[in-house]
Amino acid sequence: MSTLQKDGKIINKLFLNSVISIIAAAIATMLGIVVDGIVIGRIMGPDSMAAYGLVTPVINLATAFSGVLATGAQIICAQRLGAGKKEEARRAFSMCMIITAVVSVLMIAIILIFRTDISVMLGARGNSAHLLPYTSDYLLGIVFSFPSVLLLFEFNSLMRLDGDANRVIVAVVVMTVLDILGDLVNALVIKGGMIGMGLTTSLSYFAALVIMLLHFTKKDIIFKFSFKGLSIKDLGAILGTGSSSAVGSTSSMLRNAVLNQIMVATVLSSTAVAALSVVNTVYSLTSSVMLGVAMTTAMIAGMILGEQDRSAAEALVKISVKTAVVIGALLAVVLFAFSNQIAGIFGSENGRQMVELAARGLRFYSVSIVLYGINVVFINYTQGMRRMALSNTICFLDNFVFIVVPALALAGTLTTDAVWVSFIIGEAITILTIYIIAAVKKHGFPYRAKDFLFLKEPFGVPQEDLFEISVKDGDQVITASVELEYFCRQKGADEKQAMMLSLFVEELCANIIKYGFADGKKHSIDIRAFKLNDTWTLRLRDNCRKFDPTEWIKLHDEDDPTANIGIRMVCGMAKKVNYISTLDLNNLTITI
């Protein structure tokens, strides 16, 4: 029995580090949208706030396109990098950039030509016909942000894979500050109306895009645009894998449109629509936090899929659900306790009725946040694992069917409360659905993380044929080396193969500890070895500073041959040595 086990700490630390930066970026991005709502609601009045709410479905549609491309490209690229296929990841990136340009042009053209018709379709008609000019103006200003929105979402994901997460945070902070200042100047000084509000948002997004584009001037990056080797199959893979994001955003757009109509039909005033706009705006901010957890899950799941690492998948499910519950509970408490104050930010004395109605809606909504967090984690996890039918089905049910159906059924008796209660009912039914699916798959009652992996079998190497250990110091490296040699011989390796793999672990891990652990931070090394089709594969993963031994050999080939003898020995004896740095992890794969 081994004295060492794989502890999952690298995945946990990767997840927590990534989720913090992704949530920070998501909050900063959504903060600009929230400030738009606050300035519009308090300074420009309930009619402008209602128009802002009516445009929400269009913004959701833009988010749908950006979500498809961003998450699709992120997962495909992460999967290919996890499998060591750097050139194929670059090819997918290039295809993503081309389709982004095409979609951006089409979106701008359609909205510019048909913005009045679109405004009417969104609800600026009948009792709300007076909202038409406000809605049309806001569409005219906001439409120019769509190309930047698409690219920002994509770069937000891909630059993290490329190890440049800090630039993402800087860009969204700049964007948020410019958007806030622009909103205030437009509303108080220029008095540019809803067109000005939209243009301010467009300009702030463009400024953030410029900052992100500077990443691609660096030399040591993974993602470089090229027309070489482009394939329509890559486009299909991106769109297919990103389909859950499209389903989520599109169904949210349809849901908001239906809920707007319920509000208008039951209350017959723009006050109810404005209140729903407030709830949706706060929902966007809080859900962006939970989506930060979910996006992190999808990104790491894509890498794990490429590696076919079952134990890493189990560690990911544990940490992602735990994080969603903790963060969701904190958000729920704050939102419930301060619902009046939060709603009051969006309204003035003239909008007191709207504030009261919105505060009531926020209290109802707060009850559903934890359930929403768990649901969106599983939607994105299954998307990352490319279980698209499962992910799309849960996503559509959660975002549309399980919310709209209860709202319509209860509208006659609960009026506006039907909309608020529907969020709780919808999330509860979704989480029950996920549990039932897991129970059917297990043929029993699921209660462990590994019961909710939803992997497409066969997945990876059978556990009994897999050697997995985590080490943190030199003594553990020696133990792991001895145990690996014994494991290899038990699994049919000849004496030379067993000796080589054992020696590789000893030499390379000692080198990582000597140089990578020298910064004083807590690090560990995951060792993974298995035999597949008469070929032995060894993978070492660590969370130290970036170091490519294959590149080092090229640069120091003529230097002292006794320097770093371990690296030279491995590169000389192994059949293939492949190195990839992604998500600030060093991944070294050796085959013999």
Side-chain angles (χ1 to χ4, degrees), residues 197-447:
M197 297 303 293
L199 288 175
T200 294
T201 300
S202 296
L203 289 172
S204 63
Y205 270 87
F206 180 75
L209 177 61
V210 171
I211 294 173
M212 286 194 176
L213 285 172
L214 294 176
H215 166 80
F216 298 96
T217 63
K218 297 168 62 176
K219 293 182 178 180
D220 59 337
I221 58 175
I222 295 174
F223 300 113
K224 300 176 182 178
F225 180 83
S226 173
F227 287 104
K228 183 180 179 181
L230 290 178
S231 171
I232 196 67
K233 292 182 179 179
D234 290 329
L235 176 58
I238 291 171
L239 296 179
T241 305
S243 59
S244 286
S245 297
V247 171
S249 296
T250 304
S251 54
S252 294
M253 174 191 70
L254 295 174
R255 179 195 68 212
N256 289 338
V258 173
L259 296 183
N260 280 337
Q261 299 305 315
I262 292 175
M263 286 295 196
V264 171
T266 55
V267 185
L268 298 178
S269 75
S270 60
T271 300
V273 177
L276 181 59
S277 298
V278 172
V279 174
N280 278 331
T281 302
V282 177
Y283 172 88
S284 296
L285 181 61
T286 55
S287 65
S288 70
V289 176
M290 305 313 295
L291 282 171
V293 179
M295 288 169 59
T296 307
T297 304
M299 177 174 61
I300 299 175
M303 180 186 73
I304 291 171
L305 177 62
E307 297 173 343
Q308 295 284 289
D309 191 337
R310 186 181 295 268
S311 61
E314 184 176 349
L316 176 62
V317 168
K318 287 180 181 178
I319 188 65
S320 58
V321 170
K322 180 180 178 180
T323 303
V325 170
V326 172
I327 294 177
L330 291 174
L331 287 173
V333 170
V334 171
L335 195 56
F336 189 90
F338 298 99
S339 56
N340 289 324
Q341 293 85 343
I342 294 171
I345 296 174
F346 293 86
S348 60
E349 286 297 318
N350 296 329
R352 181 174 297 176
Q353 185 181 0
M354 179 199 75
V355 171
E356 292 176 354
L357 190 57
R360 182 174 178 82
L362 290 175
R363 284 191 290 273
F364 275 103
Y365 165 64
S366 66
V367 179
S368 68
I369 292 179
V370 173
L371 296 179
Y372 168 77
I374 297 173
N375 290 334
V376 78
V377 159
F378 275 105
I379 290 169
N380 279 259
Y381 166 77
T382 50
Q383 182 183 17
M385 287 296 178
R386 299 189 71 182
R387 299 300 309 274
M388 302 316 305
L390 179 59
S391 180
N392 290 342
T393 300
I394 297 174
C395 188
F396 180 68
L397 293 174
D398 183 49
N399 283 282
F400 185 75
V401 176
F402 290 159
I403 293 178
V404 168
V405 172
L408 290 171
L410 298 172
T413 55
L414 298 181
T415 63
T416 56
D417 282 351
V419 171
W420 315 138
V421 173
S422 67
F423 282 97
I424 302 174
I425 296 174
E427 300 302 342
I429 297 175
T430 302
I431 202 165
L432 178 62
T433 301
I434 293 172
Y435 186 85
I436 291 172
I437 293 172
V440 170
K441 183 176 178 62
K442 184 185 177 183
H443 303 292
F445 294 102
Y447 61 94

Side-chain angles (χ1 to χ4, degrees), residues 498-549:
M499 180 273 296
M500 285 174 61
L501 290 170
S502 174
L503 185 60
F504 290 173
V505 165
E506 188 173 335
E507 291 291 337
L508 291 174
C509 289
N511 192 67
I512 293 170
I513 290 173
K514 180 178 180 180
Y515 297 104
F517 287 29
D519 58 7
K521 299 178 181 178
K522 289 186 178 181
H523 298 289
S524 60
I525 308 168
D526 283 349
I527 303 169
R528 190 168 189 255
F530 58 88
K531 182 182 180 182
L532 188 64
N533 298 328
D534 296 324
T535 299
W536 280 92
T537 299
L538 171 67
R539 189 204 68 196
L540 303 179
R541 172 189 284 156
D542 66 80
N543 52 4
C544 304
R545 64 183 178 86
K546 184 177 180 180
F547 177 71
D548 183 352

Side-chain angles (χ1 to χ4, degrees), residues 420-492:
W420 315 138
V421 173
S422 67
F423 282 97
I424 302 174
I425 296 174
E427 300 302 342
I429 297 175
T430 302
I431 202 165
L432 178 62
T433 301
I434 293 172
Y435 186 85
I436 291 172
I437 293 172
V440 170
K441 183 176 178 62
K442 184 185 177 183
H443 303 292
F445 294 102
Y447 61 94
R448 298 168 297 182
K450 67 179 183 179
D451 297 331
F452 294 89
L453 297 185
F454 299 118
L455 301 173
K456 185 177 181 180
E457 303 294 351
F459 184 90
V461 180
Q463 200 63 37
E464 62 272 15
D465 296 329
L466 185 64
F467 179 88
E468 292 183 299
I469 277 180
S470 298
V471 298
K472 302 177 183 64
D473 57 46
D475 291 338
Q476 290 184 349
V477 169
I478 298 300
T479 301
S481 175
V482 171
E483 292 184 357
L484 175 58
E485 183 173 3
Y486 176 78
F487 172 84
C488 292
R489 294 197 177 190
Q490 289 292 105
K491 295 301 176 180

Side-chain angles (χ1 to χ4, degrees), residues 45-71:
D47 286 344
S48 293
M49 186 65 190
Y52 170 76
L54 290 180
V55 174
T56 298
V58 176
I59 296 174
N60 288 341
L61 182 60
T63 305
F65 282 119
S66 61
V68 170
L69 297 175
T71 58

